[in-house]
Amino acid sequence: MAANAVVARRRLVVPAMMLAIAGIAMLRPPPAFGARLAHRIYIKDVEGKPITAKTKKPGPYSTKKTCGECHDYKIIGCGSHEMMWPDEPLPAPATYPGRNWIITHKVSGMQAHPSMGFIAPKKNPAGVGLSYWEFARDFGGRHVGGGPMEFDRDGKQYAERIGSEEEIPEDDGDYKNAKWFLSGVQEVDCLMCHGGESYEPVFRAMQIEDSENFMWAPTVATGLGTVRYSVKNISIGGDDEGAEEEEGPPLPQVKYNPQIFNADGTVSIDIRTPDSKRCLFCHETVRREPLKRIDETTDIHWTSGMTCVDCHRTGLEHRPSPGYEAHGYEGPPSKTLTCRGCHTTGRGGAPVALHRGLPEHHLEKITCVACHSGPKPEGGLEVKSIETVATPLWPEMKDKKREQYRGPVWQMPIFKQDEFGRIRVYQRLLPNYWAVVGEDKALRGLLPREIDAPIKEIAESINDDDGDGRPEVNTQAEIKATIEAIGKSLKGQKVVYLRGGLRYELADPQAGKPAPRSPGLSVSPAKAGEPMDWPIAHDVRPAAQALGAKDCTECHSIDSPFFFAEVKLDALSPEGKPITKPMAEFEGQDTLFQKLFALSFMFRPIFKPTCLASAAIMAGVLGFYFMAGLTGYRRKDGC
């Protein structure tokens, strides 16, 4: 019996140990948010075939086939970053496109957004405009892929449609003069956000923008291998079918690093929650001269140990919360992931903003970012014009190429009412560009390559008329000369110039009111050339550095930039000098009232002492007469 009891106890030992281990595992906390996750997976090519060290003539790895094995690629591909199209502004009432992709030209000072008629039309027999392939080449370094980088306007993937038996019309603007059949497409590059330290987004941008190796870019950026040869060196002429038969430079070839493969043929890939540095690669705004970030302060959230995704959260749908109240993001949890959502409730340990001494109506009429974000309005009553570096390849550029480069020029900070009627801070682009008028009266923006030669012919007549240090087309005489030169090069097509909400063209009695002092030019209102504003949200300054933290006169003084800085409308006078408007008018405020109200703050330092002294004198006088009356009353009673 005793022996049987020993055996029974021994049989219970293993289950007891297993239960104990399971209990300990249950008590172990889950991985911290942002923890690194090592994926040991097979990488696959565009056909879904595994790539190993023994694969002969391997192609580039495909994120769609590799990551899509477990994750829903279709849902991810509908995310807000992936679905950024260059010619579609955000829905009303927003006043800015989703991304500040800007087309620039150094000699003329031209700058414009692709949505201003620059994208090639779907039906494009003349092959004009910026094709989606060219857009993918020029701006793909700062696009995660998918959307217009992978699918045409019919919703079909470029490479799959080319490889199918479907006949593509010769005038299809998504394919005409494009190299999709050589470069491949830019699939959603998951590791651009989720990759570890070994992922280098600059290498990806170089493969896309310098070499035109679209589908090879993730392989190089991830460090899986190297690529020889470049699609850029392959000319397609005007006939896609003939290009495949011509002898010429070879297609890119991948050489994988054999050390990345494990014994079972898998590859270990470091996956993590997106790091803030990855966000900054696309979202950071850098001043060109001197080369530094726009805002000299450091974001208080970053110095407190937070990351971008702490506020800009998302799920599998990949639509990050904007971090502020916006149309389409009204519901939870996005509504709570805002300045007010955290700093009025103390969410996540955030300090509750008390705003002692600040009148309540300020919080109703002014957004948090207006006081706490972006460059402070300092240095006089002129809004700063800042040229920024808009290419991820700037670190790789040589001095000569940097001299030829011109980034977009912004006005900032601009304080104006947002779609909710509250004052918010923005950066402003003042578009100016040339366009041709089509038979349907639609405007097609002229690309830098179309205006470069005629503009250079008259470059000596283009001066720095507005004193901003950059020669640009500013005066109406310069506008007229450029329209004539470009029109001549385009064989008589009707050329117009758009700037500051105005449309300039050669004199025509039907075109509009003749411009003063320039009888050969007509000018009329045009929405196409109006300024474009993007909201500023970072860097966030702490309370001690917020606008108005020193005293009220930071805003309420007669020389305060917050109300009285002069904002360029870019509607030029005949001499090329900019026409401006006070900031208060953008904020929905009356300039004269704010001037008079600001004058009252000149007397506020003595206002309280004067009131106290007056109150003391009045109290003394009242006390004197009270005591005198009381004494008289007592005498009357004989007391």
Side-chain angles (χ1 to χ4, degrees):
M1 294 292 293
N4 291 336
V6 170
V7 172
R9 285 197 296 271
R10 287 178 177 176
R11 288 176 178 174
L12 291 173
V13 170
V14 174
M17 291 178 64
M18 293 177 67
L19 287 172
I21 293 171
I24 294 172
M26 291 176 67
L27 292 174
R28 181 183 178 185
F33 183 71
R36 297 168 61 179
L37 300 172
H39 282 45
R40 297 189 65 178
I41 56 177
Y42 291 101
I43 57 174
K44 299 181 178 181
D45 62 18
V46 292
E47 295 180 357
K49 298 177 181 178
I51 300 171
T52 67
K54 297 180 180 179
T55 303
K56 295 182 179 180
K57 296 183 179 180
Y61 102 99
S62 164
T63 53
K64 181 178 181 178
K65 297 298 183 180
T66 302
C67 305
E69 186 75 16
C70 299
H71 304 282
D72 195 324
Y73 184 88
K74 186 175 182 179
I75 292 178
I76 295 170
C78 292
S80 54
H81 285 82
E82 292 78 5
M83 292 299 290
M84 288 191 296
W85 294 73
D87 52 348
E88 293 183 3
L90 293 179
T95 57
Y96 57 94
R99 178 75 175 103
N100 50 356
W101 290 300
I102 309 299
I103 301 170
T104 62
H105 182 247
K106 182 177 178 63
V107 178
S108 65
M110 167 243 184
Q111 56 182 26
H113 191 270
S115 64
M116 296 176 167
F118 286 88
I119 298 299
K122 179 64 175 175
K123 190 172 183 180
N124 189 20
V128 297
L130 188 74
S131 69
Y132 274 8
W133 184 87
E134 291 174 308
F135 173 80
R137 177 197 62 196
D138 295 343
F139 299 100
R142 286 188 175 177
H143 191 293
V144 296
M149 311 297 185
E150 186 178 7
F151 298 98
D152 63 17
R153 278 171 276 195
D154 295 324
K156 300 179 180 180
Q157 197 204 49
Y158 301 109
E160 291 179 357
R161 188 173 181 185
I162 291 173
S164 68
E165 296 181 357
E166 180 182 354
E167 184 177 350
I168 301 174
E170 292 184 3
D171 61 354
D172 192 319
D174 293 337
Y175 296 88
K176 193 173 183 67
N177 299 331
K179 293 184 180 180
W180 295 116
F181 67 100
L182 295 172
S183 65
V185 300
Q186 294 179 35
E187 297 177 341
V188 177
D189 190 353
C190 309
L191 299 186
M192 187 174 182
C193 299
H194 294 281
E197 293 293 336
S198 61
Y199 186 96
E200 182 47 74
V202 172
F203 291 169
R204 177 180 181 272
M206 292 174 66
Q207 287 294 315
I208 292 171
E209 299 185 16
D210 276 356
S211 301
E212 301 176 0
N213 296 341
F214 293 178
M215 66 179 178
W216 287 268
T219 302
V220 177
T222 311
L224 299 176
T226 58
V227 173
R228 294 178 61 194
Y229 307 122
S230 167
V231 171
K232 186 176 184 178
N233 296 327
I234 304 176
S235 175
I236 63 172
D239 184 357
D240 291 356
E241 295 181 2
E244 294 182 291
E245 299 175 359
E246 292 179 2
E247 292 186 5
L251 283 171
Q253 300 174 5
V254 183
K255 183 179 181 181
Y256 286 94
N257 180 359
Q259 295 181 350
I260 66 170
F261 295 99
N262 300 315
D264 59 355
T266 59
V267 173
S268 298
I269 299 180
D270 186 13
I271 304 295
R272 62 180 64 186
T273 300
D275 183 84
S276 296
K277 292 180 180 179
R278 293 296 167 78
C279 304
L280 288 176
F281 180 77
C282 292
H283 291 279
E284 187 174 37
T285 303
V286 180
R287 184 199 308 262
R288 176 172 178 170
E289 293 179 0
L291 190 64
K292 58 184 178 183
R293 297 191 62 194
I294 291 299
D295 199 334
E296 291 302 305
T297 63
T298 302
D299 194 291
I300 185 62
H301 295 102
W302 298 339
T303 58
S304 301
M306 295 178 66
T307 64
C308 300
V309 294
D310 288 332
C311 297
H312 303 286
R313 298 186 184 183
T314 184
L316 179 64
E317 74 282 359
H318 283 63
R319 289 183 55 81
S321 302
Y324 61 90
E325 297 87 348
H327 287 283
Y329 294 87
E330 290 89 350
S334 295
K335 190 173 182 179
T336 61
L337 293 170
T338 63
C339 306
R340 297 173 190 266
C342 290
H343 291 286
T344 58
T345 63
R347 173 177 178 166
V352 176
L354 301 177
H355 294 102
R356 291 189 180 94
L358 186 70
E360 187 67 25
H361 68 273
H362 283 68
L363 302 178
E364 298 172 357
K365 296 183 177 180
I366 305 176
T367 60
C368 305
V369 292
C371 299
H372 287 273
S373 297
K376 293 182 74 172
E378 298 173 328
L381 295 179
E382 182 179 354
V383 177
K384 297 177 182 177
S385 293
I386 301 173
E387 182 180 354
T388 58
V389 175
T391 172
L393 301 183
W394 182 266
E396 308 299 326
M397 281 187 178
K398 295 182 179 180
D399 291 341
K400 185 175 181 180
K401 196 170 182 179
R402 287 189 180 189
E403 290 177 5
Q404 298 171 349
Y405 174 82
R406 183 188 190 276
V409 178
W410 304 90
Q411 281 195 100
M412 62 178 79
I414 303 292
F415 296 96
K416 57 173 273 189
Q417 287 186 326
D418 64 9
E419 57 265 40
F420 298 100
R422 297 169 303 185
I423 296 175
R424 184 179 294 278
V425 61
Y426 293 84
Q427 63 184 41
R428 165 165 287 201
L429 181 79
L430 299 174
N432 67 93
Y433 63 100
W434 291 264
V436 294
V437 183
E439 294 180 0
D440 56 355
K441 304 299 181 182
L443 297 177
R444 180 182 71 80
L446 292 173
L447 296 167
R449 63 170 180 254
E450 297 175 281
I451 66 170
D452 187 63
I455 291 292
K456 284 182 177 179
E457 289 181 3
I458 59 169
E460 294 182 357
S461 62
I462 300 175
N463 305 304
D464 177 19
D465 307 288
D466 57 0
D468 64 356
R470 293 177 290 270
E472 299 162 322
V473 175
N474 287 322
T475 68
Q476 292 180 1
E478 291 171 338
I479 293 173
K480 180 183 176 185
T482 56
I483 291 176
E484 290 175 338
I486 295 172
K488 184 179 179 181
S489 69
L490 296 179
K491 299 179 181 179
Q493 292 188 62
K494 186 174 183 179
V495 178
V496 298
Y497 180 68
L498 296 120
R499 182 171 189 153
L502 296 175
R503 168 173 162 166
Y504 298 85
E505 54 194 304
L506 297 181
D508 183 339
Q510 305 298 323
K513 183 179 178 181
R517 304 187 192 179
S518 185
L521 205 61
S522 296
V523 59
S524 57
K527 189 173 180 61
E530 290 181 349
M532 305 179 77
D533 300 317
W534 277 265
I536 296 176
H538 297 282
D539 283 350
V540 178
R541 299 187 297 274
Q545 298 175 16
L547 186 62
K550 294 179 181 179
D551 54 54
C552 301
T553 56
E554 281 196 76
C555 295
H556 296 291
S557 63
I558 59 174
D559 59 352
S560 165
F562 182 81
F563 284 118
F564 308 118
E566 294 293 329
V567 181
K568 289 182 183 179
L569 299 180
D570 214 35
L572 302 181
S573 66
E575 296 80 16
K577 307 300 180 183
I579 299 172
T580 61
K581 187 167 75 172
M583 190 84 75
E585 296 188 28
F586 291 90
E587 299 164 341
Q589 305 294 313
D590 183 84
T591 306
L592 179 59
F593 172 80
Q594 290 299 334
K595 282 279 186 184
L596 295 174
F597 188 60
L599 286 172
S600 69
F601 283 81
M602 296 176 65
F603 305 100
R604 292 209 174 194
I606 61 172
F607 182 71
K608 289 183 179 179
T610 301
C611 288
L612 291 173
S614 300
I617 293 172
M618 292 177 65
V621 171
L622 291 172
F624 173 79
Y625 279 102
F626 176 79
M627 295 302 297
L630 184 61
T631 302
Y633 177 76
R634 288 178 177 176
R635 287 176 180 174
K636 185 177 180 180
D637 288 347
C639 298

